[in-house]
Amino acid sequence: QIYQTTMLEAFQLTNGQLGELYSMMGLLFFLTYAPSGWLADRIKPMKLIVFSLLGTGLLGFWYSTLPSYYSLLCIFGGWGITTGLTFWGAVMKRIKLLSGEHESGRFYGFYDGGRGLVEAVLASIALYIFSVVAGDNDNNVIEALIYVIYMYSWLCIALAVICLAGVYYENKQVITEVKKV
């Protein structure tokens, strides 16, 4: 919402087109949310999380090129899938696996509270980047928007790498445990 006017200008969209993009992403998220639990039961949650973060970040880099409306449909559709199908179910499953039998409520609470705090910090950093790049008279607002998109895209890629390291470490632990048996 903070960047809506700049997005309309940068992507040369109408309010209606931007609404269509958000609606399509929301609809895909809604349609893929239930199957995400089924998928998280069949594929290791950390692998799904890595895929989701990597996909979201790469789509963000495509988004930063200020593509056409039809490309934006693909990007927002991809985000609907990487956040709905491959992310949330996997995150919920991973939290359940990490928590003890009587600790899941506390773990979900820490997760949700921490997520809110991290989102607020990231939004503040993004707004700072936007204001610095845009300048005092907002001459560079489109360039500033691109920098904000880069920030979030690189963050997703970095988190994917960290999670991938976690998958590697987890697999190494399993192999060590099997060798002990």
Side-chain angles (χ1 to χ4, degrees), residues 5-68:
T5 303
T6 306
M7 287 171 59
L8 294 174
E9 180 184 340
F11 293 100
Q12 300 175 3
L13 298 173
T14 65
N15 276 318
Q17 288 174 315
L18 187 59
E20 288 171 4
L21 292 170
Y22 283 133
S23 295
M24 184 191 60
M25 182 172 67
L27 180 63
L28 280 170
F29 183 88
F30 173 75
L31 293 173
T32 60
Y33 188 76
S36 73
W38 174 86
L39 189 61
D41 286 338
R42 279 147 186 78
I43 299 173
K44 287 188 174 190
M46 285 303 286
K47 289 182 179 180
L48 290 171
I49 292 168
V50 167
F51 173 82
S52 179
L53 290 168
L54 190 60
T56 300
L58 293 174
L59 287 166
F61 288 130
W62 184 14
Y63 185 63
S64 73
T65 66
L66 308 178
S68 71

Side-chain angles (χ1 to χ4, degrees), residues 63-98:
Y63 185 63
S64 73
T65 66
L66 308 178
S68 71
Y69 177 71
Y70 295 104
S71 293
L72 289 173
L73 286 169
C74 294
I75 292 167
F76 277 71
W79 282 335
I81 291 169
T82 61
T83 57
L85 182 64
T86 59
F87 188 74
W88 284 110
V91 167
M92 296 297 115
K93 173 92 180 231
R94 186 67 181 159
I95 291 170
K96 181 68 176 160
L97 292 171
L98 287 172

